[in-house]
Amino acid sequence: MTATLVLQDVARHFGGVPAVDKLSLQVPAGQITGLIGPNGAGKTTVVNLITGLLHLSSGKVLLDGRDVSRDEAPELARAGVARTFQNIRLVPDASVLENVVAGFHRHEKAGLWANLLGLPSARAEAKRLNERAMALLERFGMTALAEHRAGGLSYGHQRRIEMMRALATEPRLLLLDEPVAGMNDAEAESLAGIFRSVAASGVAVLLIEHNMRFVMSLCAHLYVLASGRLIAEGLPEAVGRDPKVVEAYLGA
């Protein structure tokens, strides 16, 4: 199976203190890979390094075999890297539909003047993007909320909007940073099916999550961080029994 994302001895130091220290991992296409660890382990720092929001202190990030270690966030987004955030980042006063349509921005073909002048090509494209956004809303069970103000919806609904916007970019690599935080088991399970279908379509998915039941049921392979270092990796069942992992989560 081809690895869409490869990290090679990736490190990031803040004032000489390693937040991530010589981390190597692979995220294959068509699979959900988990990155777990206790609070402060460095997981979100890893996502920020992959997406260009932080720069590496050392090591390499490879995307489909290409070194993207020095690429900035906009370049990586154009290359097909999408993410969600721990702290939801929506346009709160825009509608649900408008927030999702924004995700299709990199696929727009009509130019600025075509949009400003309302040319037929621009109107036709806007119609197509709205239809594609509505298809995502249907997939996430939110069609009835299309015209609702995004900022006025529940936390769980806002989480779903952020995921739809990320999927609207048609990513090759999708990074999910605690996507089911604050959700109950039924809400989480409904998203699990969507994530499985996304991976099955050929997308490489890296999942960061504290809900261990959710992680164990979804991931084909797990990496475990503690204090910025990789302490275990492998199949979920084996990782869950690893004494180092148990100690990292529960203490000696």
Side-chain angles (χ1 to χ4, degrees), residues 51-245:
T51 54
L53 294 183
L54 288 174
H55 293 139
L56 302 177
S57 297
S58 60
K60 287 184 179 180
V61 178
L62 304 178
L63 185 64
D64 288 330
R66 184 172 70 87
D67 189 343
V68 295
S69 305
R70 297 182 181 278
D71 286 11
E72 300 291 339
E75 296 172 281
L76 290 164
R78 286 192 293 271
V81 178
R83 70 169 294 178
T84 64
F85 291 84
Q86 272 187 338
N87 301 315
I88 298 170
R89 302 186 182 186
L90 300 176
V91 182
D93 290 328
S95 71
V96 172
L97 181 62
E98 288 167 336
N99 270 276
V100 177
V101 167
F104 288 105
H105 175 70
R106 80 181 185 95
H107 301 292
E108 289 182 2
K109 294 181 173 59
L112 174 64
W113 286 107
N115 280 293
L116 287 176
L117 296 173
L119 297 182
S121 60
R123 293 199 304 272
E125 182 174 69
K127 183 174 182 291
R128 286 195 302 270
L129 295 185
N130 276 357
E131 289 171 349
R132 292 170 69 184
M134 287 301 296
L136 277 173
L137 264 67
E138 183 175 1
R139 189 176 182 184
F140 279 78
M142 290 185 60
T143 306
L145 299 175
E147 300 303 328
H148 283 242
R149 176 178 166 272
L153 297 179
S154 70
Y155 176 85
H157 281 127
Q158 290 188 39
R159 275 277 178 206
R160 286 169 176 256
I161 297 167
E162 189 175 46
M163 291 173 214
M164 288 187 284
R165 187 177 59 190
L167 288 174
T169 69
E170 298 181 355
R172 290 149 56 197
L173 172 65
L174 177 61
L175 309 170
L176 298 170
D177 196 353
E178 299 192 25
V180 298
M183 293 187 185
N184 61 38
D185 287 346
E187 290 173 323
E189 184 53 37
S190 70
L191 289 179
I194 294 172
F195 296 156
R196 289 189 187 98
S197 68
V198 168
S201 72
V203 177
V205 180
L206 181 62
L207 172 67
I208 296 171
E209 183 54 58
H210 283 292
N211 183 329
M212 292 305 295
R213 184 188 305 172
F214 187 77
V215 168
M216 293 293 183
S217 70
L218 271 182
C219 296
H221 196 90
L222 287 182
Y223 293 88
V224 188
L225 281 184
S227 301
R229 289 180 176 271
L230 184 68
I231 62 169
E233 69 162 292
L235 296 176
E237 298 80 5
V239 167
R241 295 191 300 267
D242 190 306
K244 296 189 297 295
V245 175

Side-chain angles (χ1 to χ4, degrees), residues 28-58:
Q31 178 177 300
I32 301 176
T33 301
L35 178 63
I36 64 173
N39 287 329
K43 304 182 296 298
T44 295
T45 300
V46 172
V47 175
N48 288 338
L49 291 169
I50 294 168
T51 54
L53 294 183
L54 288 174
H55 293 139
L56 302 177
S57 297
S58 60

Side-chain angles (χ1 to χ4, degrees), residues 4-29:
T4 297
L5 173 72
V6 177
L7 304 188
Q8 296 179 345
D9 292 327
V10 162
R12 170 69 192 199
H13 299 162
F14 293 102
V17 177
V20 176
D21 192 14
K22 295 185 177 179
L23 172 65
S24 295
L25 61 76
Q26 297 187 13
V27 182

